Amino acid sequence: MDQKVRQFEVCTQDGSVDRHGNPAIRANTGKWLTAILILVNQGLATLAFFGVGVNLVLFLTRVMGQDNAEAANNVSKWTGTVYIFSLLGAFLSDSYWGRYKTCAIFQASFVAGLVMLSLSTGALLLEPSGCGVEESPCKPHSTFKTVIFYLSVYLIALGYGGYQPNIATFGADQFDAEDSAEGHSKIAFFSYFYLALNLGSLFSNTVLGYFEDQGNWPLGFWASAGSAFAGLVLFLTGTPKYRHFTPRESPWSRFCQVLVAATRKAKIGVNYEDLNLYDSETQRTGDKKILHTKGFRFLDRAAIVTPDDEAEKVESGSKYDPWRLCSVTQVEEVKCVLRLIPIWLCTILYSVVFTQMASLFVVQGAAMKTNIKSFRIPASSMSSFDILSVAFFIFAYRRFLDPLFARLNKTEPNKGLSELQRMGIGLVIAIMAMISAGIVEIYRLKHKEPESTSDSSSLSIFWQVPQYMLIGASEVFMYVGQLEFFNSQAPTGLKSFASALCMASISLGNYVSSLLVSIVMKFSTTDEVPGWIPENLNKGHLERFYFLLAGLTAADFVVYLICAKWYKYIKSEASFSESTTEEEEV
């Protein structure tokens, strides 16, 4: 007995294990030693990623010879692909590899893509020598060189996308939520994680962005590759000390089992007012039983025990066929996902607004006055104001706004804004950001240089600061609120999938942005008019595109209000305290 008590005291209580699969010893694994390695790893990886992404639109125009609309489209597609790969990373992590192995493999792919991009840029793409700046674009490239370039950037997308949704959760895994001291550290970890992400992107948006804007593309890309490699080495050094969680059953299998079981029982007679549903399954530590709800009643059929189910149980030896009978909890997991989908769809158009910061905002800034005496400000470095805005509004919301709203809340005292309310505020601020960008473009056109053949303007690039600051403020309400909402409402077995779903909304936003630019250019271009977003912005009407996005986002906000009012929050029982529960006799 004493040995069992001692083992309980020295091991973690949340079910985590060490690298050998044994219960993790609290004193020898996890906590801040490994969490700091993960924080530094995240900062270095973010620096490397944005060292490429922040100036990619300029690289495509100056080195690859694309026009503004084509470059903006390709950046949107590339960024969208990054977040699509997050779904792949989450699936492999939850179902097969676990978070550690998934992070290591995708980071290696990330480093390989950066090295390939650095080598190909210096050896193949910068021809003639000294090209790659605004005044001296490079000559057209062969198909082979173009293929090598796209292979490298999409290898980067695969590596960073597959790694990103797992590293934050893996960092949180290093703290035992069942222990009071480690539980507080686990909450603090997420704040430090977001800080590390912003510090990494701040350096790449300023220092690396400046060198790349001056035509030093190989230097910027090699710096990114070195940063990613250093991050991978640091990550691997913590291998003996990490805490792990055994991969769960594929969430897609559980999802499909409910749909198949309900469809098989589509013709049975059901009295929905007097249902006797199967409510027992083997569960692990920390799992929760979700209470039955009345929505999506067709799916309840999957949890109805029929004589055929009983016969199948006898034949198989005391186990029900999971493709014929599912527990109430499993059915409610599917309902949770279905209820999240309308809210998730409403966030996609916000991501269309967000992606302009890495594409058309940069193009617009490059067509403004970027000089302060002899010093030239890279257009991409203006996103630093977005990062500073995010940091400021996170602090302001947590310290001042949230307590204020909690005091003003009469219906639920001491409770601030809900996640859905914060997401709605984010949409409103995004509308303001697009209106601000459109107004700046109007004034930029008024200050264009009439005798110049370029798209230059005498209006200072610092007029873009408000639109970047507004985007940053909207992120704090929308993306942070969205992440918290999806993680709180997703079932226990779908937490990683929920994080990937948040990233997938950014992905689809990029694809929708690309499609929208193509449609606008198709209908606005004639023989006499070069379209809203031409190569020379002084001959176009970029402000109309910004106002179009503001109008679409306003319509999306109305739909969002309807979906948010319709949404019903998940209700569950207390966590299971035992590692497993035996199946009840029926």
Side-chain angles (χ1 to χ4, degrees), residues 85-86 88-94 98-100 102-103 106 161-173 193 496 499 503:
F85 283 135
S86 69
L88 174 63
F91 172 76
L92 293 173
S93 173
D94 287 341
R99 282 185 270 275
Y100 168 79
T102 304
C103 288
F106 280 104
Y163 146 88
Q164 195 60 29
N166 295 294
I167 191 65
T169 312
F170 186 60
D173 289 346
F193 182 85
S496 295
S499 297
M503 298 184 70

Side-chain angles (χ1 to χ4, degrees), residues 47 61 75 81 132 139 171 239 253 281 295 325 422 427 464 502 529 536-537:
L47 187 157
T61 55
V75 170
T81 304
K139 68 178 185 180
T239 299
S253 295
E281 65 174 339
L325 181 66
R422 287 154 58 192
L427 281 171
Q464 282 192 310
C502 295
V529 181
N536 187 336
L537 288 185

Side-chain angles (χ1 to χ4, degrees), residues 154-374:
Y154 277 94
L155 191 58
I156 293 170
L158 171 65
Y160 188 78
Y163 146 88
Q164 195 60 29
N166 295 294
I167 191 65
T169 312
F170 186 60
D173 289 346
Q174 306 310 305
F175 301 99
D176 182 3
E178 302 299 322
D179 178 79
S180 58
E182 290 194 25
H184 288 299
S185 297
K186 187 170 189 174
I187 296 174
F189 171 81
F190 287 106
S191 298
Y192 291 123
F193 182 85
Y194 202 77
L195 176 63
L197 187 150
N198 278 273
L199 289 177
S201 59
L202 179 62
F203 182 84
S204 58
N205 288 349
T206 53
V207 179
L208 293 186
Y210 173 77
F211 284 110
E212 291 171 358
D213 186 66
Q214 298 300 311
N216 295 320
W217 297 102
L219 174 63
F221 293 158
W222 276 116
S224 295
S227 176
F229 179 74
L232 176 59
V233 171
L234 280 174
F235 179 79
L236 294 177
T237 57
T239 299
K241 297 291 186 178
Y242 288 133
R243 295 176 184 174
H244 308 264
F245 283 91
T246 305
R248 301 181 61 87
E249 176 188 2
S250 169
W252 295 110
S253 295
R254 293 174 62 85
F255 192 95
C256 293
Q257 284 169 357
V258 173
L259 298 182
V260 171
T263 302
R264 282 181 167 181
K265 299 174 182 177
K267 296 182 180 180
I268 66 173
V270 177
N271 180 7
Y272 286 108
E273 301 303 323
D274 185 25
L275 289 174
N276 183 20
L277 303 177
Y278 177 60
D279 191 22
S280 177
E281 65 174 339
T282 301
Q283 294 190 241
R284 306 190 316 177
T285 302
D287 283 358
K288 296 181 180 181
K289 280 188 176 181
I290 305 176
L291 300 180
H292 176 254
T293 58
K294 294 183 179 180
F296 301 101
R297 287 185 167 184
F298 174 79
L299 297 176
D300 290 336
R301 295 170 177 268
I304 297 176
V305 183
T306 64
D308 290 340
D309 295 324
E310 295 289 0
E312 184 73 22
K313 179 181 179 182
V314 173
E315 292 179 5
S316 63
S318 77
K319 283 189 176 182
Y320 289 115
D321 181 0
W323 293 92
R324 294 187 60 90
L325 181 66
C326 304
S327 69
V328 171
T329 294
Q330 191 173 345
V331 171
E332 290 301 320
E333 287 178 357
V334 177
K335 290 184 181 181
C336 288
V337 174
L338 294 179
R339 289 192 180 102
L340 289 174
I341 288 176
I343 301 294
W344 175 72
L345 289 174
C346 289
T347 67
I348 294 175
L349 199 56
Y350 171 83
S351 295
V352 176
V353 173
F354 175 75
T355 194
Q356 305 311 312
M357 190 171 58
S359 54
L360 290 181
F361 278 18
V362 179
V363 174
Q364 182 187 37
M368 301 174 75
K369 182 182 178 182
T370 59
N371 293 327
I372 300 180
K373 294 184 179 180
S374 60

Side-chain angles (χ1 to χ4, degrees), residues 521-547:
M521 289 301 293
K522 180 178 178 62
F523 285 97
S524 65
T525 303
T526 63
D527 293 336
E528 297 79 16
V529 181
W532 288 3
I533 316 173
E535 177 68 20
N536 187 336
L537 288 185
N538 287 350
K539 298 180 180 180
H541 288 283
L542 181 58
E543 77 282 359
R544 295 179 183 175
F545 183 76
Y546 287 144
F547 292 145

Side-chain angles (χ1 to χ4, degrees), residues 59-189:
F59 187 87
L60 291 174
T61 55
R62 298 178 183 179
V63 179
M64 303 305 295
Q66 299 179 7
D67 59 40
N68 287 331
E70 183 182 8
N73 271 347
N74 283 326
V75 170
S76 295
K77 292 175 183 177
W78 178 76
T79 308
T81 304
V82 170
Y83 296 113
I84 283 292
F85 283 135
S86 69
L87 294 173
L88 174 63
F91 172 76
L92 293 173
S93 173
D94 287 341
S95 305
Y96 302 105
W97 291 349
R99 282 185 270 275
Y100 168 79
K101 188 176 181 180
T102 304
C103 288
I105 290 175
F106 280 104
Q107 281 189 82
S109 170
F110 183 44
V111 173
L114 286 166
V115 171
M116 183 184 298
L117 177 62
S118 304
L119 288 172
S120 62
T121 299
L124 301 176
L125 300 178
L126 293 181
E127 294 180 352
S129 179
C131 72
V133 294
E134 185 176 8
E135 299 80 11
S136 178
C138 299
K139 68 178 185 180
H141 303 293
S142 65
T143 302
F144 171 76
K145 294 178 181 179
T146 303
V147 168
I148 292 296
F149 165 73
Y150 278 110
L151 181 62
S152 62
V153 293
Y154 277 94
L155 191 58
I156 293 170
L158 171 65
Y160 188 78
Y163 146 88
Q164 195 60 29
N166 295 294
I167 191 65
T169 312
F170 186 60
D173 289 346
Q174 306 310 305
F175 301 99
D176 182 3
E178 302 299 322
D179 178 79
S180 58
E182 290 194 25
H184 288 299
S185 297
K186 187 170 189 174
I187 296 174
F189 171 81

